[in-house]
Amino acid sequence: MSNSYGRDREWASVIRFLSAPGGLLAIDGPPCTGKSLLLRDAVDAARVRGYSAVLVHPGALGDLPPGPNPLVAIDQAHEDPAAVLAALPGLRAHGATTLVALTGAYAGPDLRRTLPAYGEVLTLKPVGDDVVAQVLKDVLGAEPEPGLAALVASAGGNPGLVVELITGLREENRLDVRDGVARLTGAGLPRRVAELVRAQADALSSEAAQVLRVAAVLGRSFLLKDVATMTGRPAGALLPAVDEVLASGLVVSAGVRLEFASDLGWQAVVQAIPPSVLHALRHDADLLRTDLREPPTAAPPEEQRGAAAVHDVRRLAAGGRLGAAIALARDSLAQRLHAGPAAELHTALAGILLADGRPADAVAEMEHALSVATAPEPLRRLAAAGRLLSLYFATGNRAGAHALSVLTARDREASDADVVMAACVHSCLEWNAGNLAEGLYWGRESTRWELDRPTAWWQSHAAVAFAMKLSSLGEFADAEKLVRGDGPDTDEAVTAGAPAARMIGRARVLFQAGKLVQAQVAAHSGLSLAHDRGLRLLVPLASAVLAVVALHRGDVEGAASHVRRYRGDLAGGEAVLHSGQYDWVELLVAEAQGGPERAAELARERLADLDSARRMLIEEPGAGAWLVRLALVVGDSRMAGVVVGAAEELAANNPGCVAVSVGAGHARALLDGDEQLLETAAGKHRHPWAQAWAHEDLAVLSGESGQEQRAREHAEVALRIFERMGASGDAARVRRRAGVVADEAEGSDEWGRLSSPERDIARLVGAGLTNRQVARQLFLSPHTVNYHLRGIFRKLGISSRVELARLAGEQEHAEV
């Protein structure tokens, strides 16, 4: 019988334990140190010695195994410590021999305290270099070249981490094995290793995770007092979090310093920190090192007061303390400052005010910056760009003349910040006016150029706004590229602004592409970033995405709460991002809560505002058909005619725009009962939700004309699309109306074996989320996610998250 690599001493302890039935042995250690393998080997050894042994997860603890000498081996006990604590007295009372494998850091204090009272705790330590070399040779079947050997050595004697590292390198085709030598190709950690360490960090409390990430930025070895300085807390207050980090095994004590247990783990923690956050933390770490080298003087020279004020304002805002940053900026500006720092401070303050949802105040601050004649020209261009965007948010159409005046100036460079923003604002105004080709042209122009320094977080609006235009036209791949890429976020005044804006824009794109689960994740992430940094400007749009996702998933009350939230924000003046989504989602919720009559009443109000109606028709290609369908249900032929007329006028003014023309055709087909035109719309819609509704409409028309088989076929197509989206609420409606039995065959045969909740979990895990992150997004416990994940692996015939990611990716492409 073989046991875990390099665990001869621990194995001897296990054998001694099995020689005296009736006790308890707990095997504790960080992830990937071989606990589960040692446990399985112990179960095999116990059966040879006449035990009736069973290996279980803590959530499946039940009756004792039949036969003499019962032995219960509990793997991953930290995933459900309450169940283990509840079972221990009964196991002892029945004389059962008990083996427990756990990561004590994640088990909670109660289980850690209780286990020693029941028996022995065996703590696994790192293995020696000779064992790592043997693991490497066995896994590779070849000798590693020096670069690969050095990378493996950075695993710090963790055999499981070595195996994960080599497996990940193989999966990513980064190992070249020739002539008995294994060579490393490419750079960076494999995704598998990064996910493993990220999962360990995610299992920590929020305070411990903060300590871990701040420490990682300081270096592999660090002092606790430096972590305390960067977090702004006394070292003593951090002790519980430090104890948790030490218990996780990611960090160990090394004299007066602490250090990461392995170079590999340290790199993975740094790699998992979002770039914008990493930038801010490294900035603070550099300042800390500078302070240690050069103690500050008692009073800065006069010429440095302005620069110091700018620095302090930026740091406050980067930490989400916008109120304090605004107060400090205003106090500093009330004093006499040098012209350059004063202009910079006005520009930074304007960016903070814009983030706070106060665009009119931001305009005033940008104009103050522009009034400083001696300010550097790049800063003046940035201030002019900010004034233009703030004016657009504050006044809408009144910004148009300013944008045109910038675009028609002969002496400007295309990459100037104000020219780029003028193109963006002009694009948005033309788009909202229904001139889609003009809006697209200038939107594309606004994303073509590399911006000169300095930059600010709000310049990301150009890419986000253009992405949402492309998404409205069904150009999802190009749209997602814009909101996934790096954008201007070097303005530390609100350092998370650009990532939050892109994330919320991506949520909108994912929703329109029919990827509801991914959209929900992105919206929650963007909303969290926005809340953390005080970016109230962005909050309502994220809430609108969450509302429409909840509605399509059948959670009407959840959708209504999101609507109430963003309506409150809009009424309070905390958001000015122009979007037809606010009115549109409110109509959908009104219909779901109050029925067709209430929705129709609200729709008549919205249609009376030409700009509001046009914006809904542009941004949501299925809106025209939905409104006509609603009008026909309540018997309002006038409203139906108004909607069709507006949709057809929009299509006529934008020839060649498929999404708009198909939307108008769908609306006309419903009004006229034209089945052939409806067939055309169903075949040409690019948006899954609108396409599914077209098939549902065809099912209704076919049923009314007595074509039962045809009606069923169209209902089944609609049902498949809704299920593929994860729109369980819409799918339930189709089943109720058409009496269709759910068809589990979604995409591939393998994918069709999964239930709807399993598909949600599979998509999220495939997107790279850990079990704990999936649990937060779907409001489940990590144990439930883990339980479902085992079932998913079994149904799909796979054994790793990497394989699941591949299948999820293939399924996603099959659904396009």
Side-chain angles (χ1 to χ4, degrees):
M1 177 181 301
S2 64
N3 55 70
S4 303
Y5 281 110
R7 298 298 181 196
D8 294 338
R9 191 185 329 179
E10 291 87 348
W11 181 245
S13 297
V14 170
I15 296 302
R16 283 197 303 273
F17 167 73
L18 293 176
S19 66
L24 178 143
L25 177 66
I27 305 169
D28 188 6
C32 297
T33 47
K35 303 182 301 296
S36 295
L37 180 58
L38 196 59
L39 187 71
R40 288 194 294 271
D41 284 346
V43 170
D44 289 341
R47 287 170 178 159
V48 170
R49 286 162 174 75
Y51 284 90
S52 299
V54 60
L55 177 64
V56 297
H57 185 275
L61 281 166
D63 296 334
L64 293 174
N69 296 332
L71 182 143
V72 176
I74 309 169
D75 198 9
Q76 306 296 325
H78 55 270
E79 292 190 355
D80 196 345
V84 177
L85 284 168
L88 288 178
L91 292 171
R92 171 181 276 184
H94 287 86
T97 303
T98 307
L99 283 164
V100 179
L102 76 160
T103 296
Y106 308 153
D110 291 342
L111 185 57
R112 288 201 302 270
R113 259 194 319 267
T114 303
L115 286 175
Y118 278 81
E120 179 186 356
V121 177
L122 182 64
T123 302
L124 301 189
K125 303 292 185 182
V127 298
D129 292 342
D130 56 335
V131 178
V132 172
Q134 186 60 48
V135 173
L136 190 57
K137 187 173 182 180
D138 290 351
V139 174
L140 286 175
E143 293 291 337
E145 52 88 25
L148 177 58
L151 179 61
V152 171
S154 70
N158 187 321
L161 198 53
V162 172
V163 173
E164 291 292 305
L165 174 63
I166 298 302
T167 303
L169 291 172
R170 276 179 166 164
E171 289 170 346
E172 296 173 18
N173 296 316
R174 291 174 51 196
L175 285 179
D176 181 19
V177 180
R178 284 181 295 176
D179 303 324
V181 177
R183 298 172 179 85
L184 180 66
T185 62
L189 297 180
R191 179 181 173 185
R192 172 187 282 263
V193 173
E195 285 180 351
L196 179 67
V197 177
R198 188 165 62 243
Q200 290 180 255
D202 287 342
L204 299 172
S205 67
S206 59
E207 188 175 10
Q210 179 194 27
V211 167
L212 182 73
R213 289 170 178 131
V214 169
V217 173
L218 289 169
R220 181 177 175 188
S221 173
F222 56 93
L223 291 169
L224 179 58
K225 70 180 184 66
D226 291 342
V227 177
T229 300
M230 284 187 62
T231 56
R233 302 184 63 191
L238 296 179
L239 291 180
V242 172
D243 287 343
E244 188 179 348
V245 171
L246 288 169
S248 74
L250 287 168
V251 170
V252 296
S253 178
V256 297
R257 301 179 70 85
L258 300 170
E259 66 179 32
F260 281 80
S262 69
D263 192 66
L264 204 63
W266 170 54
Q267 293 178 48
V269 171
V270 173
Q271 186 174 305
I273 300 174
S276 59
V277 178
L278 183 61
H279 174 77
L281 289 175
R282 281 177 169 162
H283 176 76
D284 285 356
D286 290 342
L287 290 174
L288 175 65
R289 296 183 185 106
T290 301
D291 290 343
L292 291 173
R293 289 194 302 269
E294 302 174 9
T297 58
E302 177 66 24
E303 62 270 16
Q304 292 184 3
R305 279 197 307 113
V310 172
H311 171 264
D312 290 341
V313 166
R314 291 184 183 281
R315 288 194 64 183
L316 284 170
R321 300 172 62 189
L322 300 198
I326 292 170
L328 177 60
R330 294 203 187 283
D331 288 345
S332 300
L333 288 167
Q335 305 170 29
R336 289 180 177 273
L337 295 179
H338 287 268
E344 190 176 359
L345 192 54
H346 278 299
T347 305
L349 175 57
I352 297 168
L353 291 167
L354 188 58
D356 200 39
R358 297 158 63 180
D361 292 341
V363 171
E365 292 302 328
M366 294 294 188
E367 288 177 344
H368 281 307
L370 288 168
S371 70
V372 180
T374 58
E377 187 58 28
L379 181 62
R380 289 177 57 81
R381 288 197 292 266
L382 181 66
R387 178 181 62 176
L388 190 54
L389 181 63
S390 300
L391 191 63
Y392 167 65
F393 285 155
T395 67
N397 292 338
R398 286 173 53 193
H402 292 270
L404 281 175
S405 67
V406 174
L407 290 174
T408 54
R410 294 178 179 272
D411 60 340
R412 308 316 303 270
E413 294 293 330
S415 60
D416 287 350
D418 54 344
V419 176
V420 172
M421 191 52 66
C424 172
V425 169
H426 184 64
S427 164
C428 292
L429 291 172
E430 290 294 314
W431 181 266
N432 292 339
N435 303 320
L436 305 190
E438 188 80 357
L440 284 175
Y441 172 80
W442 287 107
R444 187 172 288 108
E445 291 295 291
S446 73
T447 61
R448 282 181 52 196
W449 306 299
E450 183 75 21
L451 290 167
D452 294 332
R453 303 284 174 173
T455 59
W457 75 268
W458 40 262
Q459 289 174 288
S460 61
H461 183 71
V464 172
F466 186 46
M468 291 206 266
K469 293 178 179 66
L470 292 175
S471 179
S472 295
L473 300 179
E475 304 290 344
F476 305 124
D478 289 341
E480 198 168 352
K481 287 177 186 175
L482 286 165
V483 287
R484 266 188 164 171
D486 293 331
D489 55 356
T490 58
D491 174 20
E492 294 165 16
V494 191
T495 192
R502 291 195 297 269
M503 185 65 73
I504 292 169
R506 183 167 182 253
R508 170 70 182 151
V509 173
L510 289 167
F511 166 74
Q512 287 203 298
K515 301 173 182 178
L516 268 61
V517 176
Q518 294 96 318
Q520 183 183 34
V521 172
H524 273 301
S525 299
L527 192 61
S528 177
L529 268 178
H531 278 309
D532 286 347
R533 293 296 183 267
L535 293 154
R536 289 185 282 183
L537 177 77
L538 304 174
V539 167
L541 201 58
S543 296
V545 174
L546 290 171
V548 75
V549 168
L551 190 65
H552 289 306
R553 292 173 69 84
D555 182 8
V556 177
E557 185 49 45
S561 69
H562 287 300
V563 169
R564 287 193 294 271
R565 193 170 297 117
Y566 74 64
R567 278 298 173 195
D569 290 340
L570 292 169
E574 293 179 347
V576 285
L577 281 178
H578 306 296
S579 175
Q581 283 303 295
Y582 305 131
D583 289 337
W584 170 242
V585 177
E586 193 169 358
L587 282 175
L588 295 176
V589 171
E591 194 273 339
Q593 283 192 315
E597 291 292 347
R598 171 63 189 132
E601 179 184 347
L602 195 60
R604 293 184 194 102
E605 295 176 10
R606 299 294 181 262
L607 291 170
D609 181 345
L610 178 61
D611 289 340
S612 173
R614 183 171 53 234
R615 197 173 286 153
M616 281 195 293
L617 293 173
I618 293 171
E619 293 184 21
E620 183 51 66
W626 189 90
L627 288 165
V628 170
R629 192 181 303 113
L630 176 67
L632 294 177
V633 168
V634 300
D636 190 340
S637 57
R638 182 182 178 281
M639 186 174 93
V642 168
V643 173
V644 171
E648 290 182 336
E649 181 181 2
L650 185 64
N653 292 338
N654 294 278
C657 186
V658 176
V660 171
S661 62
V662 173
H666 189 171
R668 168 60 69 181
L670 283 178
L671 182 61
D672 295 347
D674 188 331
E675 193 170 341
Q676 185 174 355
L677 186 56
L678 198 51
E679 285 269 12
T680 301
K684 290 187 176 181
H685 266 306
R686 296 177 179 178
H687 295 72
W689 181 79
Q691 184 185 45
W693 260 111
H695 282 287
E696 192 172 346
D697 291 332
L698 279 166
V700 172
L701 281 181
S702 299
E704 290 173 350
S705 62
Q707 303 176 70
E708 297 297 333
Q709 179 59 31
R710 184 175 174 80
R712 181 177 178 81
E713 289 171 357
H714 282 295
E716 287 175 345
V717 172
L719 182 61
R720 282 198 297 273
I721 295 172
F722 284 137
E723 287 181 336
R724 207 156 52 215
M725 291 170 60
S728 50
D730 291 307
R733 183 192 62 250
V734 173
R735 294 192 195 97
R736 287 195 304 270
R737 291 179 60 178
V740 177
V741 177
D743 182 0
E744 290 294 328
E746 177 185 335
S748 67
D749 292 341
E750 293 85 358
W751 200 259
R753 298 190 186 110
L754 304 183
S755 65
S756 181
E758 286 174 334
R759 290 172 191 161
D760 288 349
I761 291 171
R763 287 186 176 106
L764 292 178
V765 171
L769 274 68
T770 66
N771 287 9
R772 190 170 293 272
Q773 290 170 324
V774 173
R776 290 195 194 107
Q777 297 297 341
L778 299 181
F779 304 101
L780 303 171
S781 71
H783 169 63
T784 301
V785 172
N786 187 60
Y787 172 80
H788 280 301
L789 198 56
R790 291 201 302 272
I792 291 167
F793 283 2
R794 185 177 64 255
K795 290 181 180 181
L796 298 181
I798 59 176
S799 58
S800 75
R801 301 170 81 92
V802 174
E803 292 175 281
L804 181 58
R806 176 183 57 78
L807 285 175
E810 291 173 356
Q811 180 65 20
E812 181 174 317
H813 287 105
E815 294 169 4
V816 174

